[in-house]
């Protein structure tokens, strides 16, 4: 087994096979046998001296070991030969630069974070195995007031022990990683968040809204409002529903305006009691909640329905005037005056029933 350095064309080794025959029978020639590894593309041999040379640059990252067969053949008749296995181990050298896992890193940090606080961790890799433990990280620029410090061995970025109060809202650091020979760079974008001291506060804890049923999707129901005394991102509020009823039938936009996603039928049992829970969430993660109750106003969208399709009865010919004949009932699911039912007689017979019978509320009498 022989060792060879990568990326260098040079004499790798010499093989020697003495022959005890005399004169021309003792002449030996050498050759590298072709194989599936294409060894003849990487190595060549001096056929008379057995000197093995590299034919191209050897790359440790592509192949760390080469195995091939050298055959020695004498000049006799018949020719005799012998084979030997040769192993060339490629030694790694520093021929690859380190690379950051990303060109730009972005991180957020609170203005109240203490000294030494973890900010982010930079990661880099090197294709050269020998350099994996040699990588060193550093800050090149953007850290004029020494607000941050870099752990050179790990790439961890922290607030330094020299940090002062009143940090800027934005920092852009240029950082580097080196393996001792090659260097690569990246950027770190840091956003400083003001302290999130306050939670959002709704103008009301309970809202009551009334909307007519059957209106098209997109109809405005009500507008809720919350405020936050924090500044910047921590004072920005987003609204959302936290119950399934709100998510499936209503929409709430960035201004707190609640609108319908579908037509709502007051007579649907699922719409008898619509209670929505709204969350106001600020940019720092603080939240508050309110309740919105939606009442559907009735529309006269249902016709009365008799309890029976047909009523049959028999009466005597001499029944007294004003006698009760039968009771007829109908229902209407609408509310208020829309659901109030009045009855009247209608007949297509030759003898008008209106002259014979009268109806009072739901009772039918003989006139």
């Amino acid at each position: 087994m022989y060792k060879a350095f990568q990326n260098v064309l040079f004499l790798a080794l010499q093989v020697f096979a003495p022959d005890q025959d005399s004169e021309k029978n003792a002449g030996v020639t050498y050759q590298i046998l072709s194989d599936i590894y294409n060894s003849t593309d990487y190595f060549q041999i001096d056929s008379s001296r057995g000197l093995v040379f590299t034919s191209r640059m050897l790359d440790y990252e592509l192949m760390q070991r080469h195995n091939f067969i050298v055959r020695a053949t004498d000049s006799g008749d018949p020719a005799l030969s012998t084979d030997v296995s040769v192993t060339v181990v490629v030694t790694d050298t520093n021929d690859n630069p380190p690379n950051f896992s990303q060109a730009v890193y972005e991180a957020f940090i609170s203005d109240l974070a203490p000294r030494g606080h973890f900010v982010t961790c930079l990661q880099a890799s090197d294709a050269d195995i020998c350099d994996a433990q040699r990588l060193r990280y550093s800050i090149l620029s953007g850290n004029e007031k020494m607000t941050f410090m870099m752990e050179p061995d790990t790439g961890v970025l922290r607030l330094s022990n020299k940090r002062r109060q009143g940090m800027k809202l934005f920092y852009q650091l240029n950082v580097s990683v080196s393996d001792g020979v090659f260097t690569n760079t990246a950027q770190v974008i840091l956003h400083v968040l003001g302290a999130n001291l306050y939670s959002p506060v709704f103008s009301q804890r309970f809202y009551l809204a009334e909307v007519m049923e059957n209106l098209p999707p997109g109809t405005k129901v009500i507008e809720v409002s919350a405020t936050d005394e924090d500044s910047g991102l921590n004072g920005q509020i987003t609204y959302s529903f936290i119950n399934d009823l709100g998510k499936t039938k209503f929409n709430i936009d960035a201004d707190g305006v609640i609108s319908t996603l579908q037509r709502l039928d007051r007579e649907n049992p699922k719409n008898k009691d619509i209670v929505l829970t709204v969350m106001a969430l600020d940019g720092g993660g603080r939240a508050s909640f309110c309740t919105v109750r939606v009442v559907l106003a009735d529309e006269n969208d249902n016709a009365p329905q008799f309890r029976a399709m047909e009523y049959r009865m028999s009466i005597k010919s001499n029944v007294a005037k004003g006698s009760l004949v039968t009771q007829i009932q109908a229902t209407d699911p609408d509310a208020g005056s829309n659901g109030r039912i009045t009855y009247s007689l209608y007949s297509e017979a030759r003898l008008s029933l209106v002259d014979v019978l009268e109806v009072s509320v739901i009772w039918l009498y003989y006139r």
Side-chain angles (χ1 to χ4, degrees):
M1 181 173 64
Y2 299 86
K3 290 186 177 181
F5 291 96
Q6 64 171 339
N7 298 329
V8 178
L9 291 173
F10 73 113
L11 171 64
L13 58 103
Q14 181 179 19
V15 295
F16 179 65
D19 194 311
Q20 297 182 0
D21 290 324
S22 59
E23 299 180 359
K24 68 175 184 178
N25 292 333
V28 177
T29 58
Y30 302 91
Q31 69 176 121
I32 298 175
L33 301 184
S34 299
D35 54 27
I36 60 175
Y37 304 107
N38 298 322
S39 297
T40 54
D41 292 341
Y42 293 93
F43 299 94
Q44 59 185 354
I45 191 168
D46 186 318
S47 61
S48 60
R49 293 182 297 170
L51 298 174
V52 178
F53 298 87
T54 55
S55 299
R56 62 167 64 176
M57 297 288 187
L58 304 181
D59 192 342
Y60 178 87
E61 284 70 44
L62 294 179
M63 187 176 296
Q64 293 81 42
R65 182 185 296 260
H66 295 267
N67 297 293
F68 55 90
I69 302 296
V70 174
R71 175 168 293 173
T73 305
D74 64 18
S75 302
D77 187 14
L80 300 178
S81 64
T82 184
D83 296 339
V84 65
S85 176
V86 178
T87 298
V88 177
V89 177
V90 182
T91 302
D92 190 23
T93 59
N94 188 3
D95 63 333
N96 292 282
N99 290 299
F100 280 103
S101 60
Q102 54 196 78
V104 179
Y105 293 83
E106 189 172 17
F108 296 84
I109 185 170
S110 170
D111 184 48
L112 297 182
R115 296 178 180 181
H117 183 77
F118 174 87
V119 178
T120 189
C121 182
L122 312 181
Q123 293 183 325
S125 59
D126 195 310
D128 297 318
I129 294 179
C130 60
D131 295 327
Q133 303 302 321
R134 300 178 186 173
L135 300 184
R136 294 295 179 267
Y137 301 85
S138 62
I139 301 174
L140 297 177
S141 62
N143 192 31
E144 287 73 18
K145 293 187 178 181
M146 304 298 290
T147 305
F148 304 94
M149 63 180 183
M150 178 80 75
E151 294 182 3
D153 297 338
T154 62
V156 171
L157 185 67
R158 297 182 182 275
L159 287 176
S160 71
N161 294 327
K162 300 179 182 179
R163 184 180 79 88
R164 301 175 181 177
Q165 295 295 330
M167 297 174 64
K168 296 190 299 182
L169 296 178
F170 175 83
Y171 290 88
Q172 179 175 308
L173 306 180
N174 293 312
V175 297
S176 71
V177 60
S178 174
D179 61 8
V181 176
F182 300 99
T183 300
N184 215 328
T185 60
Q187 282 190 342
V188 181
I189 307 299
L190 300 174
H191 303 273
V192 179
L193 304 177
N196 190 18
L197 301 178
Y198 303 96
S199 296
V201 177
F202 279 99
S203 59
Q204 301 173 219
R205 296 303 300 270
F206 178 81
Y207 292 83
L208 180 63
E210 184 177 28
V211 63
M212 184 68 69
E213 68 170 326
N214 297 324
L215 292 180
T219 298
K220 179 180 177 180
V221 177
I222 195 173
E223 181 177 351
V224 299
S225 177
T227 57
D228 194 308
E229 295 185 24
D230 290 310
S231 60
L233 182 63
N234 291 329
Q236 296 179 11
I237 297 175
T238 57
Y239 299 94
S240 62
F241 296 113
I242 65 171
N243 58 333
D244 292 338
L245 179 61
K247 296 175 183 178
T248 57
K249 296 187 177 183
F250 296 89
N251 175 69
I252 186 167
D253 64 16
D255 297 322
V257 175
I258 298 176
S259 57
T260 60
L261 288 176
Q262 56 185 257
R263 293 180 183 272
L264 300 175
D265 183 6
R266 190 197 71 87
E267 287 72 42
N268 187 333
K270 294 182 179 180
N271 296 332
K272 289 297 184 183
D273 190 22
I274 301 178
V275 178
L276 311 176
T277 304
V278 179
M279 176 177 69
L281 181 68
D282 68 18
R286 288 178 174 265
S288 63
F289 306 88
C290 76
T291 300
V292 179
R293 185 167 188 175
V294 180
V295 177
L296 295 180
D298 185 52
E299 179 186 24
N300 191 16
D301 57 342
N302 293 279
Q305 297 291 327
F306 283 104
R307 289 192 175 184
M309 296 299 295
E310 183 180 13
Y311 293 84
R312 289 177 178 270
M313 70 288 297
S314 298
I315 57 175
K316 295 179 179 181
S317 60
N318 59 348
V319 67
K321 183 182 292 188
S323 298
L324 176 64
V325 177
T326 188
Q327 181 182 9
I328 300 173
Q329 289 185 321
T331 58
D332 191 316
D334 291 318
S337 61
N338 293 332
R340 192 173 300 119
I341 300 173
T342 58
Y343 299 86
S344 61
L345 291 172
Y346 169 78
S347 174
E348 295 181 351
R350 292 181 180 178
L351 177 61
S352 175
L353 292 179
V354 177
D355 298 331
V356 179
L357 302 173
E358 66 178 1
V359 61
S360 175
V361 190
I362 58 173
W363 299 96
L364 191 61
Y365 293 90
Y366 183 72
R367 182 182 286 231

mmCIF file of all heavy atoms in Angstrom, residues 33-54:
data_model
loop_
_atom_site.group_PDB
_atom_site.id
_atom_site.type_symbol
_atom_site.label_atom_id
_atom_site.label_comp_id
_atom_site.label_asym_id
_atom_site.label_seq_id
_atom_site.Cartn_x
_atom_site.Cartn_y
_atom_site.Cartn_z
ATOM 1 N N LEU A 33 -3.450 -3.503 -15.619
ATOM 2 C CA LEU A 33 -4.602 -4.144 -16.245
ATOM 3 C C LEU A 33 -5.832 -3.233 -16.150
ATOM 4 O O LEU A 33 -6.072 -2.567 -15.137
ATOM 5 C CB LEU A 33 -4.893 -5.482 -15.563
ATOM 6 C CG LEU A 33 -3.752 -6.518 -15.598
ATOM 7 C CD1 LEU A 33 -4.220 -7.837 -14.972
ATOM 8 C CD2 LEU A 33 -3.259 -6.756 -17.026
ATOM 9 N N SER A 34 -6.581 -3.254 -17.229
ATOM 10 C CA SER A 34 -7.827 -2.475 -17.225
ATOM 11 C C SER A 34 -8.823 -3.095 -16.264
ATOM 12 O O SER A 34 -8.881 -4.324 -16.088
ATOM 13 C CB SER A 34 -8.428 -2.430 -18.638
ATOM 14 O OG SER A 34 -7.535 -1.803 -19.539
ATOM 15 N N ASP A 35 -9.638 -2.269 -15.596
ATOM 16 C CA ASP A 35 -10.634 -2.766 -14.648
ATOM 17 C C ASP A 35 -11.848 -1.844 -14.662
ATOM 18 O O ASP A 35 -11.891 -0.833 -15.383
ATOM 19 C CB ASP A 35 -10.039 -2.876 -13.238
ATOM 20 C CG ASP A 35 -9.422 -1.571 -12.765
ATOM 21 O OD1 ASP A 35 -9.868 -0.502 -13.244
ATOM 22 O OD2 ASP A 35 -8.496 -1.602 -11.941
ATOM 23 N N ILE A 36 -12.830 -2.169 -13.848
ATOM 24 C CA ILE A 36 -14.078 -1.396 -13.820
ATOM 25 C C ILE A 36 -13.874 -0.016 -13.189
ATOM 26 O O ILE A 36 -14.744 0.855 -13.303
ATOM 27 C CB ILE A 36 -15.175 -2.158 -13.050
ATOM 28 C CG1 ILE A 36 -14.740 -2.429 -11.603
ATOM 29 C CG2 ILE A 36 -15.510 -3.456 -13.759
ATOM 30 C CD1 ILE A 36 -15.822 -3.060 -10.758
ATOM 31 N N TYR A 37 -12.753 0.172 -12.513
ATOM 32 C CA TYR A 37 -12.506 1.458 -11.851
ATOM 33 C C TYR A 37 -11.744 2.425 -12.752
ATOM 34 O O TYR A 37 -11.377 3.522 -12.314
ATOM 35 C CB TYR A 37 -11.715 1.237 -10.561
ATOM 36 C CG TYR A 37 -12.384 0.280 -9.615
ATOM 37 C CD1 TYR A 37 -11.882 -1.009 -9.431
ATOM 38 C CD2 TYR A 37 -13.530 0.643 -8.913
ATOM 39 C CE1 TYR A 37 -12.495 -1.900 -8.563
ATOM 40 C CE2 TYR A 37 -14.150 -0.240 -8.039
ATOM 41 C CZ TYR A 37 -13.633 -1.514 -7.873
ATOM 42 O OH TYR A 37 -14.237 -2.395 -7.022
ATOM 43 N N ASN A 38 -11.464 1.997 -13.990
ATOM 44 C CA ASN A 38 -10.734 2.845 -14.934
ATOM 45 C C ASN A 38 -9.395 3.302 -14.372
ATOM 46 O O ASN A 38 -8.992 4.476 -14.478
ATOM 47 C CB ASN A 38 -11.571 4.077 -15.313
ATOM 48 C CG ASN A 38 -12.863 3.709 -16.020
ATOM 49 O OD1 ASN A 38 -12.891 2.778 -16.833
ATOM 50 N ND2 ASN A 38 -13.928 4.421 -15.705
ATOM 51 N N SER A 39 -8.690 2.350 -13.771
ATOM 52 C CA SER A 39 -7.408 2.678 -13.152
ATOM 53 C C SER A 39 -6.402 3.209 -14.157
ATOM 54 O O SER A 39 -5.537 4.035 -13.816
ATOM 55 C CB SER A 39 -6.837 1.434 -12.450
ATOM 56 O OG SER A 39 -7.695 1.030 -11.409
ATOM 57 N N THR A 40 -6.467 2.740 -15.408
ATOM 58 C CA THR A 40 -5.522 3.212 -16.427
ATOM 59 C C THR A 40 -5.741 4.677 -16.779
ATOM 60 O O THR A 40 -4.892 5.295 -17.416
ATOM 61 C CB THR A 40 -5.647 2.344 -17.695
ATOM 62 O OG1 THR A 40 -7.012 2.318 -18.122
ATOM 63 C CG2 THR A 40 -5.181 0.915 -17.415
ATOM 64 N N ASP A 41 -6.915 5.256 -16.366
ATOM 65 C CA ASP A 41 -7.122 6.685 -16.585
ATOM 66 C C ASP A 41 -6.384 7.518 -15.549
ATOM 67 O O ASP A 41 -6.123 8.706 -15.766
ATOM 68 C CB ASP A 41 -8.618 7.027 -16.531
ATOM 69 C CG ASP A 41 -9.385 6.433 -17.705
ATOM 70 O OD1 ASP A 41 -8.745 6.090 -18.711
ATOM 71 O OD2 ASP A 41 -10.623 6.314 -17.606
ATOM 72 N N TYR A 42 -6.095 6.905 -14.387
ATOM 73 C CA TYR A 42 -5.454 7.631 -13.300
ATOM 74 C C TYR A 42 -3.956 7.352 -13.196
ATOM 75 O O TYR A 42 -3.213 8.175 -12.659
ATOM 76 C CB TYR A 42 -6.124 7.258 -11.969
ATOM 77 C CG TYR A 42 -7.551 7.737 -11.859
ATOM 78 C CD1 TYR A 42 -8.615 6.912 -12.240
ATOM 79 C CD2 TYR A 42 -7.852 8.999 -11.375
ATOM 80 C CE1 TYR A 42 -9.930 7.349 -12.134
ATOM 81 C CE2 TYR A 42 -9.159 9.438 -11.262
ATOM 82 C CZ TYR A 42 -10.198 8.606 -11.650
ATOM 83 O OH TYR A 42 -11.484 9.036 -11.544
ATOM 84 N N PHE A 43 -3.516 6.178 -13.670
ATOM 85 C CA PHE A 43 -2.119 5.792 -13.510
ATOM 86 C C PHE A 43 -1.556 5.258 -14.823
ATOM 87 O O PHE A 43 -2.294 4.699 -15.652
ATOM 88 C CB PHE A 43 -1.971 4.712 -12.423
ATOM 89 C CG PHE A 43 -2.439 5.157 -11.062
ATOM 90 C CD1 PHE A 43 -3.748 4.889 -10.646
ATOM 91 C CD2 PHE A 43 -1.591 5.838 -10.205
ATOM 92 C CE1 PHE A 43 -4.183 5.299 -9.402
ATOM 93 C CE2 PHE A 43 -2.026 6.253 -8.955
ATOM 94 C CZ PHE A 43 -3.323 5.977 -8.550
ATOM 95 N N GLN A 44 -0.244 5.430 -15.015
ATOM 96 C CA GLN A 44 0.488 4.832 -16.128
ATOM 97 C C GLN A 44 1.798 4.241 -15.590
ATOM 98 O O GLN A 44 2.281 4.668 -14.533
ATOM 99 C CB GLN A 44 0.783 5.877 -17.206
ATOM 100 C CG GLN A 44 1.600 7.063 -16.714
ATOM 101 C CD GLN A 44 1.763 8.106 -17.788
ATOM 102 O OE1 GLN A 44 1.377 7.907 -18.927
ATOM 103 N NE2 GLN A 44 2.366 9.244 -17.433
ATOM 104 N N ILE A 45 2.340 3.273 -16.281
ATOM 105 C CA ILE A 45 3.521 2.574 -15.806
ATOM 106 C C ILE A 45 4.592 2.534 -16.891
ATOM 107 O O ILE A 45 4.285 2.391 -18.088
ATOM 108 C CB ILE A 45 3.162 1.140 -15.345
ATOM 109 C CG1 ILE A 45 4.322 0.498 -14.600
ATOM 110 C CG2 ILE A 45 2.659 0.289 -16.504
ATOM 111 C CD1 ILE A 45 3.929 -0.778 -13.870
ATOM 112 N N ASP A 46 5.806 2.738 -16.459
ATOM 113 C CA ASP A 46 6.949 2.561 -17.359
ATOM 114 C C ASP A 46 7.120 1.067 -17.565
ATOM 115 O O ASP A 46 7.451 0.334 -16.626
ATOM 116 C CB ASP A 46 8.198 3.190 -16.738
ATOM 117 C CG ASP A 46 9.388 3.166 -17.674
ATOM 118 O OD1 ASP A 46 9.594 2.133 -18.345
ATOM 119 O OD2 ASP A 46 10.117 4.175 -17.722
ATOM 120 N N SER A 47 6.867 0.596 -18.782
ATOM 121 C CA SER A 47 6.819 -0.853 -19.039
ATOM 122 C C SER A 47 8.133 -1.564 -18.775
ATOM 123 O O SER A 47 8.143 -2.773 -18.498
ATOM 124 C CB SER A 47 6.361 -1.106 -20.481
ATOM 125 O OG SER A 47 7.289 -0.523 -21.385
ATOM 126 N N SER A 48 9.231 -0.870 -18.818
ATOM 127 C CA SER A 48 10.517 -1.547 -18.624
ATOM 128 C C SER A 48 11.055 -1.403 -17.215
ATOM 129 O O SER A 48 11.730 -2.306 -16.695
ATOM 130 C CB SER A 48 11.551 -1.009 -19.634
ATOM 131 O OG SER A 48 11.736 0.392 -19.438
ATOM 132 N N ARG A 49 10.754 -0.311 -16.556
ATOM 133 C CA ARG A 49 11.323 -0.090 -15.221
ATOM 134 C C ARG A 49 10.313 -0.323 -14.089
ATOM 135 O O ARG A 49 10.686 -0.364 -12.932
ATOM 136 C CB ARG A 49 11.875 1.333 -15.132
ATOM 137 C CG ARG A 49 13.091 1.574 -16.044
ATOM 138 C CD ARG A 49 13.632 2.980 -15.872
ATOM 139 N NE ARG A 49 12.664 4.009 -16.264
ATOM 140 C CZ ARG A 49 12.822 5.300 -16.027
ATOM 141 N NH1 ARG A 49 13.894 5.733 -15.393
ATOM 142 N NH2 ARG A 49 11.908 6.157 -16.448
ATOM 143 N N GLY A 50 9.012 -0.400 -14.401
ATOM 144 C CA GLY A 50 7.990 -0.640 -13.369
ATOM 145 C C GLY A 50 7.650 0.589 -12.553
ATOM 146 O O GLY A 50 7.072 0.463 -11.468
ATOM 147 N N LEU A 51 8.030 1.772 -13.067
ATOM 148 C CA LEU A 51 7.715 2.996 -12.356
ATOM 149 C C LEU A 51 6.267 3.384 -12.645
ATOM 150 O O LEU A 51 5.861 3.502 -13.809
ATOM 151 C CB LEU A 51 8.653 4.117 -12.781
ATOM 152 C CG LEU A 51 10.154 3.890 -12.480
ATOM 153 C CD1 LEU A 51 10.986 5.001 -13.089
ATOM 154 C CD2 LEU A 51 10.376 3.807 -10.983
ATOM 155 N N VAL A 52 5.485 3.606 -11.581
ATOM 156 C CA VAL A 52 4.067 3.970 -11.708
ATOM 157 C C VAL A 52 3.927 5.469 -11.471
ATOM 158 O O VAL A 52 4.361 6.003 -10.447
ATOM 159 C CB VAL A 52 3.188 3.182 -10.712
ATOM 160 C CG1 VAL A 52 1.729 3.611 -10.829
ATOM 161 C CG2 VAL A 52 3.332 1.684 -10.935
ATOM 162 N N PHE A 53 3.319 6.161 -12.437
ATOM 163 C CA PHE A 53 3.094 7.599 -12.372
ATOM 164 C C PHE A 53 1.579 7.877 -12.356
ATOM 165 O O PHE A 53 0.783 7.082 -12.853
ATOM 166 C CB PHE A 53 3.713 8.309 -13.581
ATOM 167 C CG PHE A 53 5.194 8.159 -13.692
ATOM 168 C CD1 PHE A 53 5.744 7.068 -14.358
ATOM 169 C CD2 PHE A 53 6.050 9.094 -13.134
ATOM 170 C CE1 PHE A 53 7.119 6.929 -14.461
ATOM 171 C CE2 PHE A 53 7.418 8.954 -13.253
ATOM 172 C CZ PHE A 53 7.961 7.866 -13.921
ATOM 173 N N THR A 54 1.207 9.027 -11.811
ATOM 174 C CA THR A 54 -0.194 9.466 -11.920
ATOM 175 C C THR A 54 -0.412 10.095 -13.289
ATOM 176 O O THR A 54 0.446 10.837 -13.786
ATOM 177 C CB THR A 54 -0.538 10.487 -10.821
ATOM 178 O OG1 THR A 54 0.382 11.571 -10.882
ATOM 179 C CG2 THR A 54 -0.481 9.841 -9.444
#
